Amino acid sequence: MNKAFANPPEMAIPRFYTVATIAIAQLLATSLWFSANSAADDLRRAWGASVSDIGILTSAVQLGFILGTLVFALSGLADRFPASRIFPVCALLGAAFNACFAWLSTGIPSGAVFRFAVGICLAGIYPIGMKLIVSWVPKRTGSALAYLVAMLTLGTALPHALRLIGAAWRWEYVIGSSSILAALAALLIYLLGDGPHLSLRKKVPGTSFGAVLGAFASRDFRAAALGYFGHMWELYAFWTVVPLLIVRTALNVNLPNSKVSGLAFAIISAGALGCVVGGLFSHRWGSARVAAISLSLSGLCCFIFALAWQVFSPVGLLALLLVWGAAVVADSPQFSALSARACPPHLVGAALAIQISIGFAITIVSIAIVTGLFEPLGTKVAWVLLPGPLLGLLGFYPQWSRSVNPSQ
C-alpha cells in the first residue's frame, strides 16, 4: 500500500472501536439519502410539488447510486484506491451537492440534478463502507454488516428527526444539516483508515459484465440475489411513503408536520433494531433462515396493513407499522452476507455492486408506481408493495429451504 495512504499511528483508532466508528460514519453520511423527503411538505408548498414529484427526487438519488455503483464495479476503482480515501471524498462531495440542492435548486428539474449527484456520491459511501467492514473484521461479516445496514436505516430516518428537532427551521437548514453530518463522517473514516485485511492492486483492468454475471451461475448466489431483489421492491418504496401513510390513516389526528416527522423517524428507525436483532440471531440460526423469516414477516405486515388498517386503533396501527419497519430491512445484511459467501472471492466486490445496482433499479420502478398511484389510491398502494416479499421468498426458496432441511 502507498505510504501516503497509511494510517498515522498517533491518529489511528483502536480496532475495538472500528466497527462502531464505521457504523457511526455510515449513519451520518447516509443522512444525505432521504434529506429531501424530510422537507416534502415544505417543497410541496414552496414549489407546488406533488407526491409523484417527491418520488422523482427520490428516484433521482437511486439512479445516481446505480450509475455510481456500476462505475465502481466495472472500472476497478474500488480495488485501486483505499476505501478510507474513497469514502471521505464521496462524503464531502455528497455534502456539497446536498447543500446545493438546499440553496441553489429552484424546482423539481434542478433539484433532481443535484439529488442525482448525491446518489452518485452515495455509491462511494454505502458499498465502500461494506468493504471497510470486511477489511477490519472479515470473519464477522454477517453481524458486522447487520450493524452497518442498521446505521444506513437510521441514516435514512435521521432527516425526519432533524425535521422534528428543527420544527421552526426553514427547510433549507433542515436539509443542510445532513451536509454537516456527512462532512463529520468523512473525517471519522479518514482518521480510521483501512483494516489490515485490505489488499490493493495498482493495475486493475476492470471487470467485464460477462465475468460478473457469471456469479449468477451459482445457485446460492442466484437465490440470495433474487431474495434481495424482492426485498428491494418493497423497502425504499415503503420508506418513501411512510409519512404519507401516517397522514392518511388513524395516526393523523390533526398532527403538525413535526409530529408526523417524529412518527416517520420511529417507524423507519425501527429497522435498525431489526437489523441488529437479525444479526444476533444469524449466529444461531444462520443468515438464510433469518432472511427468510424477516422477508415473511415484512410481507405479512404489508398484507395486514393493506387488508385491514381501518380496523386498528391508532396505537395498534402504530405497533403494526413499527413491526413492519423493523422487518422490512432486517433481511438486507443477511442477503449481502449470503451473496458474498456464494460468489468467487475475486468477484465479491463487483458481484455485490451489480446486485446492488439491479436492486436499486428495481426501487426506481416501485417508487415511481407507488408515488404515482398514491393520490388516487391512498393507502391501497400497499398492495403494490406485497409482490416484493412474495416473489423474493419464491426466488430465495432453494437456499432457505436447505436451512430448514440441510439434507436437501
Side-chain angles (χ1 to χ4, degrees):
M1 182 185 299
N2 192 320
K3 292 183 179 179
F5 293 129
N7 254 358
E10 68 276 11
M11 300 179 71
I13 299 175
R15 285 190 195 178
F16 178 77
Y17 300 104
T18 55
V19 173
T21 301
I22 296 169
I24 291 171
Q26 188 89 335
L27 162 65
L28 300 177
T30 53
S31 67
L32 299 171
W33 215 308
F34 272 60
S35 61
N37 297 69
S38 66
D41 288 333
D42 301 282
L43 294 176
R44 293 174 73 177
R45 286 191 294 270
W47 295 349
S50 65
V51 173
S52 60
D53 288 333
I54 301 302
I56 289 173
L57 294 178
T58 305
S59 294
V61 179
Q62 308 297 82
L63 186 59
F65 182 83
I66 293 166
L67 177 62
T69 52
L70 286 174
V71 169
F72 276 110
L74 300 178
S75 67
L77 286 173
D79 293 319
R80 191 178 299 151
F81 299 102
S84 66
R85 296 303 175 260
I86 295 175
F87 188 112
V89 169
C90 290
L92 290 174
L93 288 174
F97 288 125
N98 185 67
C100 288
F101 170 81
W103 297 104
L104 299 181
S105 54
T106 56
I108 296 299
S110 59
V113 171
F114 288 123
R115 296 306 295 164
F116 175 79
V118 169
I120 292 176
C121 296
L122 284 166
I125 294 172
Y126 176 40
I128 297 301
M130 289 183 176
K131 185 171 183 178
L132 275 168
I133 285 286
V134 174
S135 75
W136 282 101
V137 285
K139 296 182 179 180
R140 293 170 50 202
T141 53
S143 58
L145 288 177
Y147 286 111
L148 199 67
V149 177
M151 292 302 105
L152 167 67
T153 305
L154 282 178
T156 299
L158 192 55
H160 294 290
L162 294 173
R163 172 78 277 183
L164 178 64
I165 295 169
W169 297 355
R170 290 176 53 179
W171 65 268
E172 294 93 339
Y173 290 109
V174 175
I175 292 177
S177 299
S178 293
S179 293
I180 297 173
L181 297 179
L184 179 57
L187 177 62
L188 286 175
I189 296 302
Y190 179 81
L191 296 179
L192 174 64
D194 295 288
H197 301 281
L198 177 74
S199 60
L200 295 180
R201 291 178 286 167
K202 292 183 179 180
K203 295 183 178 180
V204 182
T207 306
S208 67
F209 267 112
V212 176
L213 293 179
F216 285 88
S218 164
R219 181 176 67 166
D220 285 346
F221 182 86
R222 188 169 60 249
L226 290 174
Y228 175 78
F229 297 155
H231 145 82
M232 290 297 282
W233 174 270
E234 178 190 24
L235 177 61
Y236 277 84
F238 173 73
W239 280 349
T240 300
V241 299
V242 159
L244 303 175
L245 296 178
I246 293 170
V247 171
R248 289 290 186 94
T249 63
L251 290 176
N252 182 27
V253 187
N254 298 319
L255 290 176
N257 287 340
S258 60
K259 298 299 182 183
V260 172
S261 295
L263 289 177
F265 172 76
I267 293 166
I268 296 173
S269 63
L273 178 61
C275 287
V276 172
V277 172
L280 294 174
F281 277 102
S282 69
H283 293 297
R284 179 180 301 178
W285 295 346
S287 292
R289 192 175 300 183
V290 170
I293 291 173
S294 300
L295 199 56
S296 300
L297 181 57
S298 178
L300 178 62
C301 290
C302 181
F303 175 75
I304 293 173
F305 179 89
L307 183 68
W309 67 265
Q310 301 96 328
V311 305
F312 285 89
S313 67
V315 173
L317 188 58
L318 178 59
L320 175 63
L321 287 172
L322 286 171
V323 175
W324 192 1
V328 73
V329 69
D331 46 3
S332 187
Q334 306 309 321
F335 281 131
S336 295
L338 289 166
S339 296
R341 294 173 197 151
C343 65
H346 68 284
L347 289 178
V348 168
L352 284 179
I354 294 297
Q355 176 178 300
I356 290 171
S357 294
I358 296 172
F360 275 85
I362 290 170
T363 70
I364 293 177
V365 178
S366 63
I367 289 171
I369 293 175
V370 169
T371 56
L373 293 177
F374 191 86
E375 289 181 341
L377 295 183
T379 55
K380 292 180 181 179
V381 297
W383 289 110
V384 178
L385 302 179
L386 189 58
L390 294 180
L391 293 176
L393 282 170
L394 183 63
F396 187 48
Y397 178 78
Q399 189 165 168
W400 68 260
S401 62
R402 290 204 310 278
S403 71
V404 179
N405 297 302
S407 59
Q408 291 186 0

